[in-house]
Every structure is written in structure tokens, then in C-alpha cells.
């Protein structure tokens, strides 16, 4: 699944993306690891903006894992009904709250194994939490990152999200993984969208295609 990218070319691409995206950080609003975990679980198949609209009232009512663990899905649903799949998401949130209380003292774990043991948490969500909440090197591969990486030739079109992640990790210095995730994600979200065929129109290719 190897692509045509080199470390040097990837570095030049990231430099170009830094010129486009001045503040490559998460667009989800959160104040602690618990809020980030909840926000990421809610963000599936919806936008960060939609999640940010509902989380203030949700976090006011359920400020921590303990309060969420004591709730029923039907009590959570009114706070998240404006987004898709809210029935299932309410179930995941309550189940996650209970697991956090029962197994982790109400705290969000700071390692991949324990994070991925939580209901509804897969590798992408775990990587987001590890990188953004705990400052650990991680590259979360969502649909934007995957699409952009494939368009750039990091991997071929048949590569899985995990293969994309591993390829990016091999190309980018570890201390830049979290930033690179945001640069690629935001580039895909606002510039190289799904209906855009040529990502190179947004960058200075003379600074990338250097012999």
C-alpha cells in the first residue's frame, strides 16, 4: 500500500499547508479529556459546528462521567437530538460514563488499550483523545485525512485507515503528528474537499516539486 511520498516532500507539503491554515487545532470545543471524548463520540457523521452548538447544555447537565453514568439514554437524548444517530449516541455516552466510573475511577484513560475498551471508541477516537487531551504523539485518520493522503500519493487508493496512519507516521516526525493531523484534516475540510479533483491548486507547487 506504499505511495510515492518521501519524507522531504511531505515536509514541504506541510510547510505549504501551514501557510494556508494559521491555527491547526481542533474545532471541537472542550475543556478537559472527558468533554473531548464526549464531543468526539458525538461528532460521527455530523459536523464539529453542530456538536459545539449542543455541548454547552449537555456538559452543564452532565459535567462528568459520574453524572453521565447515572443517567438513562432517554435522559441524554433531548440534549443531542439535533444531530444524527442520537439514539445510538445516547446509549454509547451512558455506557461510556458507566465504564469510566466502574473501571477508571471516573477519569478518561490516557492509553490506547483502555481508551479502545470504551463503548463506541475506535482507533481514530482514541488517537484524537491521546493527541489533543494528553499531548501524546498520534495521527487520527478520519475521512478527510484519508482522502487527502490518498490524493497526495501517501498511499494508494486501496489503503485502509490504519495503513494511512502508519504511512503518515513513517513520513512525519513524531513531534509533528498531532499538528499534521489537523493540517491534513482542515485542508480536506475547507480546501481539498471531496468534490475537488486537484489539491495542488491550493499550494505553491514550485516549493514542493524541488529536484
Amino acid at each position: 500500500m506504499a505511495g510515492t511520498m518521501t519524507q522531504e516532500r511531505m515536509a514541504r507539503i506541510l510547510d505549504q499547508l501551514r501557510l494556508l491554515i494559521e491555527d491547526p487545532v481542533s474545532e471541537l470545543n472542550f475543556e478537559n479529556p472527558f468533554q473531548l471524548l464526549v464531543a468526539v463520540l458525538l461528532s460521527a457523521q455530523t459536523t464539529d459546528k453542530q456538536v459545539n452548538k449542543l455541548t454547552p447544555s449537555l456538559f452543564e447537565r452532565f459535567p462528568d462521567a459520574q453524572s453521565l453514568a447515572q443517567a438513562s439514554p432517554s435522559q441524554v437524548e433531548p440534549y443531542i437530538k439535533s444531530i444524527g444517530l442520537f439514539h445510538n449516541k445516547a446509549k454509547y455516552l451512558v455506557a461510556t460514563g458507566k465504564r469510566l466510573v466502574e473501571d477508571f475511577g471516573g477519569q478518561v484513560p490516557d492509553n490506547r488499550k483502555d481508551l479502545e475498551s470504551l463503548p463506541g471508541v475506535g482507533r481514530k477516537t482514541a488517537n484524537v483523545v491521546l493527541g489533543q487531551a494528553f499531548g501524546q504523539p498520534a495521527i487520527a485518520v478520519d475521512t478527510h485525512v484519508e482522502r487527502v493522503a490518498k490524493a497526495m500519493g501517501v498511499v494508494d487508493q486501496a489503503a485502509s485507515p490504519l495503513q494511512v496512519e502508519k504511512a503518515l507516521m513513517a513520513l512525519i516526525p513524531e513531534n509533528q503528528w498531532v499538528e499534521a493531523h489537523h493540517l491534513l484534516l482542515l485542508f480536506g475540510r475547507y480546501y481539498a474537499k471531496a468534490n475537488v479533483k486537484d489539491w495542488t491548486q491550493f499550494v505553491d507547487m514550485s516549493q514542493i516539486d524541488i529536484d
Side-chain angles (χ1 to χ4, degrees):
M1 296 296 174
T4 59
M5 189 67 65
T6 64
Q7 292 179 342
E8 292 75 17
R9 183 176 174 83
M10 190 77 238
R12 292 194 291 267
I13 288 175
L14 292 179
D15 282 342
Q16 285 293 300
L17 298 191
R18 291 183 183 104
L19 297 177
L20 280 177
I21 303 164
E22 296 181 358
D23 193 22
V25 297
S26 174
E27 294 187 318
L28 288 171
N29 295 333
F30 65 95
E31 297 180 355
N32 53 56
F34 170 75
Q35 290 188 356
L36 176 61
L37 175 60
V38 169
V40 177
L41 287 172
L42 291 174
S43 68
Q45 297 187 36
T46 191
T47 67
D48 289 356
K49 291 181 180 180
Q50 287 298 110
V51 173
N52 289 337
K53 288 180 181 179
L54 62 85
T55 47
S57 59
L58 177 69
F59 293 147
E60 182 177 2
R61 174 63 179 83
F62 305 105
D64 50 32
Q66 288 81 359
S67 57
L68 198 56
Q70 295 170 2
S72 66
S74 62
Q75 292 175 308
V76 175
E77 285 182 3
Y79 295 90
I80 65 172
K81 63 182 180 181
S82 62
I83 60 175
L85 306 175
F86 71 92
H87 290 298
N88 287 334
K89 290 177 181 179
K91 294 177 183 178
Y92 279 133
L93 291 183
V94 171
T96 293
K98 291 180 178 178
R99 182 70 66 80
L100 290 174
V101 170
E102 293 170 358
D103 295 345
F104 304 107
Q107 302 301 308
V108 176
D110 62 357
N111 65 87
R112 182 185 309 284
K113 179 181 177 182
D114 289 340
L115 280 169
E116 292 188 11
S117 75
L118 299 173
V121 176
R123 187 176 181 88
K124 183 199 74 173
T125 297
N127 280 344
V128 171
V129 174
L130 289 173
Q132 297 179 40
F134 298 112
Q136 297 183 22
I139 299 179
V141 177
D142 69 350
T143 55
H144 297 297
V145 174
E146 180 178 354
R147 185 182 70 252
V148 169
K150 290 179 177 180
M152 290 178 173
V154 172
V155 292
D156 64 39
Q157 293 298 315
S160 68
L162 180 57
Q163 290 169 323
V164 174
E165 179 186 337
K166 290 183 176 181
L168 289 171
M169 290 166 63
L171 290 166
I172 301 169
E174 188 175 285
N175 63 355
Q176 296 179 24
W177 286 356
V178 175
E179 179 202 27
H181 155 73
H182 290 305
L183 287 170
L184 294 169
L185 185 158
L186 295 172
F187 182 61
R189 180 176 291 170
Y190 294 111
Y191 295 93
K193 301 178 182 181
N195 62 344
V196 173
K197 295 182 179 180
D198 182 16
W199 66 273
T200 65
Q201 65 185 286
F202 303 106
V203 297
D204 183 354
M205 291 303 296
S206 69
Q207 298 301 310
I208 295 174
D209 291 333
I210 301 174
D211 294 332

